[in-house]
Amino acid sequence: MAEAPFSPPPPPQPAPVARAPEPAARQEPEPRWEAPAPAPSYASAIEDRLLSNATNDAVTGAFGALTNTILANNARTLDDIVKDMLRPMLRAWLDDNLPPLVERLVKQEIERVARGGR
């Protein structure tokens, strides 16, 4: 007859502990959802404009004529004008800041190489 392998008895179950009732959860008021204000309609946007249609048309026409005159007399684009305006500012900034920047970086690199780092 083969003997059954020995297995230890199961560990005893802990006695049930009486728990105090949990305090009632604090009732948070539900957040109120409010619909966003409706966007102004196109009609009301037209009514709220500061300029009348006649004034708006006159100003638009004047700026259009100025644009045509500038482009007809001078084929330079806005990009060209901005480049010409920024070039002296950029040159001055580079003159003031580039030499110390390069000197500092070269000094750091020389120190790094001198320490044998790569």
Side-chain angles (χ1 to χ4, degrees):
M1 179 174 207
E3 286 186 33
F6 174 76
S7 61
Q13 296 295 323
V17 177
R19 293 186 181 196
E22 293 185 18
R26 193 171 133 218
Q27 294 289 335
E28 294 284 332
E30 289 191 26
R32 290 182 26 200
W33 182 81
E34 295 180 17
S41 67
Y42 181 72
S44 68
I46 291 175
E47 293 171 5
D48 291 342
R49 291 190 330 189
L50 291 175
L51 300 178
S52 68
N53 287 338
T55 303
N56 187 38
D57 293 343
V59 170
T60 302
F63 278 116
L66 176 63
T67 302
N68 290 337
T69 303
I70 290 173
L71 292 178
N73 293 338
N74 189 357
R76 294 175 59 195
T77 63
L78 181 60
D79 292 342
D80 295 333
I81 295 169
V82 170
K83 273 193 262 185
D84 289 344
M85 292 173 66
L86 288 177
R87 185 172 294 277
M89 288 185 264
L90 180 59
R91 177 174 286 131
W93 187 91
L94 289 171
D95 288 344
D96 292 341
N97 296 294
L98 190 59
L101 176 68
V102 171
E103 287 174 16
R104 187 186 80 220
L105 292 173
V106 168
K107 182 179 177 184
Q108 288 174 352
E109 185 65 15
I110 290 171
E111 290 172 359
R112 187 185 65 79
V113 171
R115 286 191 305 259
R118 249 195 173 266

